[in-house]
C-alpha cells in the first residue's frame, strides 16, 4: 500500500513538472516570437522610421530653421533620436529659451519652442542692444519704440546670447526688477526715461519731469513709493516738481534738489 502511494506521488510530481516545463517552454517561445516580431517591425520595416517633425511655438525662427538645427533626419529610427541632444542644439539658438522634444508614436517627432521676447533696448555708444526680460542679449538693432529704453551712463559689456553687463551695476536684474515694480505699482507711463548710472544706481525721469536717483543695493520699492509721495506732496502744495531731483544715494538722507540739469549731469 505504501509503495503504491509513493508511486502515485512520483507520477503526480512528474505530471506537474511536465506541465511546468511545457508552460515555461511555451512562454519562452512566445517571448522569442514577440521579440523577433518587434525586432522585425522596428528594424526591417518603415513603421518606426521618422516620417515627420512637427514644430510649434516658433515665431522668430521658421519651422524649417528649427528642423534643420535639430539635425533630425527623416527615415532614421524614432528611438535613435536623442531628445536631450536635440533640445541642447535648439537652445543654442539665441531666441530659443526652452525646447521640448517628444516622441509621437509611431513615426513622428514633436518639438515645442518657447522663445525669448524682446523687452528692453540698451542705448550705449550710439547702438541699441536688444535684450529679453532677463537681460539676455538678442541682437543689436535700430531703435524700436515698442521697447523700454535704458540708456547707460556706465560701460556695457555684451555678447549675443549672454546676459548684458554694466560695469558699475552689481546685478543687472535689479534694474529690471525696479522697472517692473514701478510700472506695476503706479502705471507704465510713470517712467519716461531711464539711465543705468554709476555706483550701482539708476536714474529715472518721471512723467512729472522729476528725476529720481535710486540705489540698487537698497530697498527699491521703498525708494519708489517714497519718491512718489514727495512728488505728490509737492504737487498738492503747488511746489515745482519739473527738473527736480530726488536722490536716495547719499546715505540715510534723501535729498531733493531743484533745477536739475541732465546735460550737465551727463558730462
Amino acid at each position: 500500500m505504501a509503495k503504491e502511494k509513493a508511486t502515485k506521488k512520483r507520477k503526480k510530481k512528474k505530471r506537474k513538472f511536465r506541465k511546468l516545463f511545457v508552460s515555461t517552454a511555451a512562454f519562452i517561445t512566445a517571448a522569442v516570437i514577440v521579440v523577433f516580431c518587434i525586432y522585425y517591425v522596428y528594424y526591417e520595416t518603415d513603421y518606426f522610421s521618422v516620417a515627420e517633425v512637427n514644430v510649434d511655438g516658433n515665431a522668430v525662427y521658421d519651422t524649417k530653421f528649427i528642423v534643420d538645427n535639430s539635425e533630425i533626419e527623416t527615415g532614421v529610427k524614432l528611438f535613435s533620436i536623442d531628445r536631450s541632444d536635440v533640445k541642447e542644439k535648439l537652445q543654442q539658438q539665441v531666441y530659443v529659451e526652452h525646447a521640448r522634444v517628444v516622441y509621437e508614436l509611431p513615426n513622428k517627432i514633436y518639438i515645442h519652442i518657447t522663445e525669448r521676447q524682446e523687452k528692453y533696448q540698451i542705448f550705449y555708444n550710439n547702438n541699441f542692444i536688444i535684450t529679453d526680460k532677463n537681460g539676455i542679449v538678442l541682437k543689436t538693432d535700430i531703435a524700436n519704440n515698442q521697447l523700454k529704453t535704458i540708456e547707460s551712463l556706465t560701460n556695457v559689456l555684451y555678447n549675443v546670447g549672454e546676459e548684458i553687463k554694466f560695469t558699475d551695476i552689481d546685478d543687472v536684474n535689479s534694474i529690471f526688477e525696479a522697472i517692473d515694480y514701478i510700472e506695476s505699482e503706479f502705471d507704465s507711463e510713470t517712467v519716461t526715461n531711464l539711465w543705468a548710472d554709476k555706483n550701482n544706481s539708476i536714474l529715472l525721469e518721471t512723467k512729472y519731469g522729476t528725476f529720481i536717483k535710486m540705489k540698487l543695493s537698497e530697498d527699491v520699492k521703498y525708494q519708489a513709493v517714497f519718491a512718489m509721495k514727495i512728488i505728490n506732496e509737492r504737487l498738492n502744495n503747488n511746489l515745482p516738481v519739473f527738473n527736480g531731483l530726488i536722490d536716495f544715494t547719499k546715505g540715510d538722507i534723501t535729498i531733493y534738489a531743484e533745477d536739475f540739469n541732465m546735460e550737465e549731469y551727463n558730462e
Side-chain angles (χ1 to χ4, degrees):
M1 228 14 220
K3 288 184 178 180
E4 288 181 5
K5 286 183 179 181
T7 302
K8 287 180 180 180
K9 284 183 179 180
R10 284 195 295 271
K11 287 181 179 180
K12 284 182 180 179
K13 286 183 180 179
K14 286 181 180 180
R15 284 197 296 268
K16 287 182 179 179
F17 178 77
R18 289 194 196 101
K19 288 180 180 180
L20 180 61
F21 177 79
V22 171
S23 298
T24 304
F27 175 79
I28 293 172
T29 302
V32 170
I33 292 172
V34 169
V35 170
F36 175 79
C37 290
I38 292 172
Y39 177 90
Y40 180 81
V41 170
Y42 187 77
Y43 288 101
E44 303 299 331
T45 72
D46 293 330
Y47 194 67
F48 284 99
S49 297
V50 176
E52 188 176 346
V53 180
N54 296 316
V55 181
D56 78 354
N58 55 312
V60 176
Y61 300 125
D62 62 28
T63 297
K64 184 178 184 304
F65 180 90
I66 296 296
V67 174
D68 288 347
N69 281 273
S70 73
E71 298 183 12
I72 297 173
E73 297 181 3
T74 56
V76 301
K77 291 303 178 182
L78 186 71
F79 296 113
S80 69
I81 303 296
D82 186 332
R83 292 181 296 171
S84 297
D85 183 55
V86 172
K87 176 180 177 179
E88 183 178 345
K89 288 174 181 174
L90 293 175
Q91 290 180 175
Q92 290 175 359
Q93 306 307 315
V94 175
Y95 277 85
V96 177
E97 183 173 11
H98 180 73
R100 186 165 67 95
V101 184
V102 179
Y103 299 131
E104 287 192 333
L105 297 176
N107 59 356
K108 296 178 182 178
I109 295 286
Y110 168 73
I111 299 174
H112 177 74
I113 299 295
T114 301
E115 291 183 335
R116 293 188 172 93
Q117 303 298 313
E118 297 175 2
K119 186 168 184 181
Y120 300 104
Q121 54 184 1
I122 316 300
F123 185 66
Y124 175 71
N125 274 352
N126 295 318
N127 288 321
F128 285 94
I129 306 162
I130 312 301
T131 78
D132 71 352
K133 63 181 180 180
N134 298 314
I136 300 299
V137 177
L138 304 177
K139 63 180 179 180
T140 56
D141 206 347
I142 59 175
N144 183 342
N145 293 331
Q146 304 301 313
L147 303 178
K148 178 68 70 177
T149 301
I150 302 172
E151 187 171 347
S152 182
L153 302 179
T154 183
N155 292 329
V156 175
L157 305 173
Y158 69 94
N159 289 305
V160 173
E162 298 177 5
E163 184 182 69
I164 195 167
K165 302 292 184 185
F166 299 85
T167 55
D168 283 341
I169 303 292
D170 294 340
D171 179 11
V172 66
N173 282 294
S174 63
I175 299 176
F176 307 141
E177 289 168 4
I179 298 171
D180 288 344
Y181 175 76
I182 292 169
E183 291 186 346
S184 65
E185 187 70 15
F186 304 104
D187 63 64
S188 61
E189 306 301 323
T190 298
V191 177
T192 57
N193 292 295
L194 189 147
W195 294 264
D197 209 345
K198 299 178 177 63
N199 300 318
N200 202 37
S201 64
I202 56 173
L203 181 66
L204 316 174
E205 182 179 7
T206 70
K207 62 184 179 181
Y208 307 101
T210 312
F211 292 81
I212 306 170
K213 189 173 182 181
M214 297 182 176
K215 192 74 173 176
L216 291 172
S217 59
E218 305 295 334
D219 188 342
V220 171
K221 295 180 181 180
Y222 166 79
Q223 295 174 73
V225 172
F226 191 39
M228 295 307 298
K229 181 180 179 182
I230 292 173
I231 292 171
N232 287 325
E233 286 180 351
R234 291 184 68 85
L235 288 172
N236 291 335
N237 289 288
N238 295 316
L239 295 173
V241 295
F242 189 76
N243 282 344
L245 171 65
I246 302 170
D247 193 346
F248 291 96
T249 65
K250 304 298 183 182
D252 295 332
I253 302 173
T254 301
I255 296 174
Y256 185 92
E258 295 182 350
D259 301 322
F260 175 73
N261 189 308
M262 186 61 204
E263 291 184 2
E264 293 179 1
Y265 181 83
N266 197 24
E267 287 180 352

